[in-house]
């Protein structure tokens, strides 16, 4: 650390430079992230039926949300989707990463294949799977029909559509989380295993007593990132099911989008819903973080 | 490894049950991952009647490119492609430049307010656009960015993850190097551009690749900003056409393949860097 007088002695260009370096980013950042994040709450207190003339209504939008069946439907669907998405992502990414971390042939190939969907356009992913799951002409039902099984209405039945949406979400994202877990596995000191083997620990014991506990911080990262991803899912669902049948797969982001940009335009109501979503995501993330901290401390 | 116990006379290992199960799962899942993509690519060469055929033929009758040329001819497909390219290239350049500068300011200077700014960057990693797009849209509208490609380029450019990643990377660059350059009389910006940036190759590659991926595939924000059809990017055009029955599915497939192709090619070329980059940072 430099003594305090050295700071005063710095030439003017060295004192000015950092501000100029951070300025462009902070300008965009302030205008399009920080200010909007605060303003979101403000908008939620107003109502506007045409997107222009705003009237202050206080908490009326929130009250309306609580009594709106469409909001509760979207909230329920989001809760179901996010819960299944986070749980399955965590379990599957750990299981698959453990498999891919073993000395097996074609490891690089499998890693590449599993990561491939991560780079694809979610819109295209939704399109392709929508086409495969189509009831009448879909590839899947054609195959099922040929081998004498039924032809379920994958995207017509609400419960099935939700399962399809969760499956496609996992299909598209799992590779990314596998990679994070793999990075965590590689950070575990191999001497732990050597010592355990000398003590005669079985593979299962090594997994339970060494791998999983030491993997906890990485697993936390996966849980938090998948939680955020689960709550912001939209694009592939939009092209896969369009939110249907009858709103069964309309999640919060789509609900907010439709209220904000489709007639009748209800900015304030949509903003109130996004405040609720925002607080939920934030609270769950914080909870996860604190829980992870406590586990680490004990 | 338990397989040593199973060594046969020839010296090659007989696979254990666990290994067989592992391979079966990995191969099975690889098929689930690859099949839809391969199927879509193959089908993009099929004619409309071939697509409607039941049971579907596994391969198109010929590798005719008619779908591609017709889709290009009958829609402003070229325009959407062009919009996507302009937005992706423009936004990525802007992202890389402002993120790198900001990261440098935060990593290598000691100035009043630095810690507050860095905390703000960290805190907003958890605020994706999806949660606050209404006020962001309002801001864009006030600045006249709606229905303009600038509206797609500027607002998402300042990514907190990019700043965070680059800053972490720059902390590893020795301060002595910068001090030495100062003593040699190099200006502040010159030090940044000529010494620091060239040393950040790996981190810059990761930020670039992710920016290209995100911008090229982005849907919600372009959907909000591009209200005029002439400003559609490929994903928006695809989604809108898919909901119209008037657009034949073979064209949609051809457009889908074109919109997949660039990122997949970039991914296959740079996959080592992507995988290593993510593995090293552990963040997206």
């Amino acid at each position: 650390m430099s003594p305090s007088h050295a700071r005063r002695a710095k030439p003017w260009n060295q004192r000015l430079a950092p501000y100029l370096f951070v300025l462009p980013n902070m300008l965009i950042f302030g205008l399009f992230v920080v200010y909007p994040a605060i303003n979101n709450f403000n908008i939620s207190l107003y109502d506007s039926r045409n997107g222009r003339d705003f009237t202050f209504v206080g908490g009326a939008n929130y009250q309306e949300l609580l009594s709106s069946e469409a909001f509760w439907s979207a909230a329920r669907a989001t809760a179901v989707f996010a819960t299944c998405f986070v749980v399955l992502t965590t379990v599957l990414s750990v299981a698959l990463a453990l498999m891919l971390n073993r000395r097996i042939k074609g490891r690089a190939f499998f890693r590449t294949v599993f990561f491939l969907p991560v780079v694809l356009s979610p819109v295209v992913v939704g399109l392709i799977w929508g086409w495969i799951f189509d009831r009448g002409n879909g590839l899947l039902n054609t195959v099922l029909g040929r081998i004498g099984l039924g032809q379920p209405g994958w995207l017509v039945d609400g419960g099935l559509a939700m399962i399809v949406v969760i499956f496609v979400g996992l299909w598209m994202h799992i590779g990314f989380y596998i990679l994070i877990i793999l990075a965590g596995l590689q950070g575990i000191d191999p001497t732990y295993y050597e010592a355990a083997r000398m003590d005669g620990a079985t593979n299962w014991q090594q997994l339970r007593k060494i791998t999983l506990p030491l993997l906890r911080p990485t697993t936390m990262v996966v849980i938090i990132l998948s939680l955020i991803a689960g709550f912001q899912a939209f694009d592939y669902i939009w092209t896969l099911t369009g939110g249907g049948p009858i709103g069964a797969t309309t999640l919060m982001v789509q609900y907010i989008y439709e209220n904000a940009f489709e007639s009748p335009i209800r900015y304030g109501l949509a903003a109130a819903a996004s405040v609720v979503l925002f607080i939920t995501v934030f609270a769950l993330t914080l909870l996860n973080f604190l829980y992870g901290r406590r586990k680490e401390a004990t | 490894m338990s397989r040593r116990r199973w060594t046969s006379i020839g010296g090659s290992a007989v696979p254990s049950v666990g290994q067989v199960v592992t391979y079966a799962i990995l191969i099975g899942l690889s098929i689930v991952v690859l099949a839809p993509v391969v199927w879509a690519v193959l089908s993009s060469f099929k004619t409309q009647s071939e697509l409607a055929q039941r049971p579907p033929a596994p391969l198109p009758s010929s590798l005719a490119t008619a779908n591609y040329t017709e889709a290009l001819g009958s829609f402003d497909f070229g325009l959407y492609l062009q919009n996507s390219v302009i937005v992706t290239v423009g936004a990525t350049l802007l992202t890389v430049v402002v993120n790198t500068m900001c990261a440098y300011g935060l990593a290598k200077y000691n100035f009043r307010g630095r810690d507050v700014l860095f905390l703000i960057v960290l805190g907003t990693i958890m605020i994706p656009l999806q949660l606050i797009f209404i006020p962001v849209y309002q801001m864009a509208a006030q600045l006249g960015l709606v229905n303009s490609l600038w509206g797609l380029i500027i607002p998402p450019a300042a990514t907190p993850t990019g700043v965070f990643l680059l800053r972490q990377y720059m902390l590893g660059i020795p301060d002595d190097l910068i001090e030495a350059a100062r003593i040699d009389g190099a200006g502040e910006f010159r030090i940044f551009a000529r010494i620091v940036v060239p040393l950040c190759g790996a981190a810059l590659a990761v930020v670039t690749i992710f920016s290209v991926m995100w911008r090229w595939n982005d849907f919600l924000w372009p959907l909000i900003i591009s209200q005029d059809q002439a400003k559609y990017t490929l994903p928006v055009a695809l989604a809108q056409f898919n909901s119209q029955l008037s657009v034949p599915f073979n064209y949609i497939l051809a457009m889908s393949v074109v919109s997949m192709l660039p990122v997949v090619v970039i991914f296959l070329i740079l996959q080592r860097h992507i995988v290593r980059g993510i593995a090293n940072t552990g963040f997206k």
Side-chain angles (χ1 to χ4, degrees):
Chain A
M1 277 285 128
S2 50
S4 58
H5 61 86
R7 195 181 189 184
R8 238 171 288 132
K10 269 186 197 167
W12 66 271
N13 62 339
Q14 270 183 50
R15 267 182 290 150
L16 186 65
Y19 295 100
L20 292 178
F21 277 121
V22 299
L23 183 70
N25 197 76
M26 288 302 171
L27 197 66
I28 301 175
F29 206 54
L31 281 176
F32 298 107
V33 183
V34 179
Y35 174 71
I38 299 163
N39 196 26
N40 198 31
F41 180 70
N42 188 32
I43 299 171
S44 75
L45 303 176
Y46 287 81
D47 192 22
S48 155
R49 303 275 161 166
N50 55 12
R52 239 165 275 121
D53 311 311
F54 290 89
T55 32
F56 183 83
V57 293
N61 286 323
Y62 292 91
Q63 273 181 336
E64 192 178 336
L65 280 184
L66 292 182
S67 59
S68 152
E69 181 41 44
F71 170 78
W72 283 113
S73 164
R76 272 195 303 272
T78 310
V80 169
F81 176 85
T83 309
C84 295
F85 183 76
V86 172
V87 171
L88 290 171
T89 293
T90 311
V91 172
L92 290 176
S93 64
V94 171
L96 287 168
L98 284 172
M99 285 184 192
L100 289 173
N101 201 40
R102 296 169 65 177
R103 264 170 295 160
I104 52 168
K105 284 201 189 86
R107 192 164 62 165
F109 168 79
F110 289 125
R111 286 184 187 180
T112 307
V113 167
F114 292 154
F115 193 77
L116 177 71
V118 178
V119 305
L120 295 182
S121 157
V123 166
V124 174
V125 167
L127 272 170
I128 294 177
W129 281 108
W131 177 48
I132 291 173
F133 279 114
D134 189 83
R135 179 176 218 169
N137 291 321
L139 183 62
L140 184 65
N141 275 359
T142 309
V143 175
L144 288 178
R146 292 280 284 184
I147 57 177
L149 295 168
Q151 304 204 321
W154 297 105
L155 305 174
V156 187
D157 177 292
L160 280 181
M162 179 55 91
I163 293 173
V164 168
V165 165
I166 293 166
F167 166 77
V168 173
L170 286 169
W171 182 87
M172 195 165 54
H173 292 298
I174 197 80
F176 179 73
Y177 301 106
I178 289 176
L179 214 60
I180 295 178
I181 299 284
L182 273 172
L185 284 173
Q186 269 145 35
I188 298 177
D189 189 344
T191 54
Y192 287 122
Y193 296 106
E194 281 161 28
R197 268 197 297 271
M198 289 225 266
D199 291 342
T202 63
N203 283 344
W204 175 244
Q205 283 170 329
Q206 289 176 35
L207 178 72
R208 288 268 324 269
K209 302 286 180 192
I210 303 173
T211 312
L212 293 182
L214 288 175
L215 205 57
R216 178 164 288 136
T218 319
T219 315
M220 283 321 282
V221 171
V222 166
I223 290 176
I224 289 175
L225 289 181
S226 63
L227 194 77
I228 297 171
F231 276 99
Q232 67 183 72
F234 170 64
D235 28 28
Y236 56 96
I237 301 174
W238 180 267
T239 46
L240 182 60
T241 67
I246 2 174
T249 57
T250 300
L251 307 191
M252 282 299 281
V253 172
Q254 186 177 336
Y255 173 83
I256 298 168
Y257 172 79
E258 284 172 350
N259 271 296
F261 294 102
E262 282 176 5
S263 157
I265 290 177
R266 296 294 307 278
Y267 262 168
L269 192 71
S274 73
V275 169
V276 172
L277 183 63
F278 185 84
I279 291 173
T280 311
V281 175
F282 192 77
L284 287 173
T285 309
L286 203 69
L287 219 70
N288 253 314
F289 184 73
L290 292 176
Y291 180 74
R293 269 278 171 95
R294 223 184 45 197
K295 274 276 165 122
E296 256 170 70
T298 50
Chain B
M1 280 254 152
S2 59
R3 72 173 166 182
R4 273 191 212 110
R5 275 184 272 138
W6 296 80
T7 308
S8 65
I9 302 162
S12 65
V14 172
S16 68
V17 177
Q19 270 179 318
V20 172
V21 172
T22 303
Y23 278 115
I25 292 174
L26 291 179
I27 292 170
L29 287 179
S30 297
I31 293 171
V32 175
V33 170
L34 287 177
V37 182
V38 173
W39 179 253
V41 173
L42 286 176
S43 299
S44 71
F45 294 103
K46 288 179 178 173
T47 61
Q48 236 179 321
S49 57
E50 270 181 295
L51 278 176
Q53 191 185 316
R54 288 293 165 259
L59 295 171
S61 58
S62 68
L63 276 183
T65 50
N67 290 337
Y68 290 86
T69 50
E70 282 166 26
L72 197 64
S74 28
F75 306 96
D76 288 330
F77 181 46
L79 180 66
Y80 309 138
L81 188 64
Q82 185 189 320
N83 285 345
S84 273
V85 171
I86 292 173
V87 168
T88 304
V89 173
T92 300
L93 282 177
L94 187 64
T95 301
V96 169
V97 170
V98 299
N99 280 0
T100 314
M101 282 172 58
C102 182
Y104 179 60
L106 292 175
K108 290 297 174 193
Y109 287 94
N110 218 336
F111 62 99
R112 198 183 288 268
R114 182 189 65 176
D115 296 339
V116 175
L117 289 181
F118 185 59
L119 272 181
I120 293 176
V121 170
L122 273 186
T124 46
I125 282 185
M126 274 182 292
I127 312 180
L129 181 85
Q130 274 90 337
L131 302 188
I132 54 162
F133 62 81
I134 295 168
V136 181
Y137 170 77
Q138 278 204 326
M139 177 56 82
Q142 277 165 24
L143 297 172
L145 294 173
V146 173
N147 249 332
S148 110
L149 294 184
W150 288 114
L152 295 179
I153 293 174
I154 300 171
T159 56
T161 29
V163 175
F164 179 72
L165 208 146
L166 286 162
R167 176 188 170 271
Q168 296 306 97
Y169 200 84
M170 285 176 185
L171 289 177
I173 297 174
D175 289 339
D176 298 347
L177 212 62
I178 294 164
E179 271 315 313
R182 270 193 195 123
I183 291 163
D184 287 346
E188 296 301 304
F189 189 77
R190 206 180 148 80
I191 295 172
F192 166 72
R194 290 295 170 82
I195 296 173
V196 176
V197 170
L199 287 173
C200 293
L204 286 172
V206 175
V207 174
T208 306
I209 293 162
F210 271 89
S211 174
V212 168
M213 256 164 57
W214 287 339
R215 293 287 82 77
W216 183 264
N217 292 333
D218 198 9
F219 175 63
L220 180 62
W221 185 242
L223 176 71
I224 292 167
I225 289 290
S226 328
Q227 290 161 356
D228 177 1
Q229 202 163 321
K231 296 291 187 290
Y232 281 0
T233 56
L234 272 179
V236 177
L238 267 173
Q240 304 291 44
F241 289 160
N242 182 49
S243 57
Q244 296 165 12
L245 288 171
S246 56
V247 181
F249 197 68
N250 49 333
Y251 293 174
I252 300 228
L253 266 174
M255 287 165 73
S256 303
V257 172
V258 172
S259 72
M260 283 197 293
L261 216 55
V263 248
V264 172
V265 170
I266 293 175
F267 165 65
L268 290 177
I269 296 171
L270 298 176
Q271 50 137 331
R272 279 171 189 283
H273 298 277
I274 303 179
V275 171
R276 202 180 305 144
I278 300 173
N280 285 344
T281 56
F283 282 100
K284 75 168 166 171

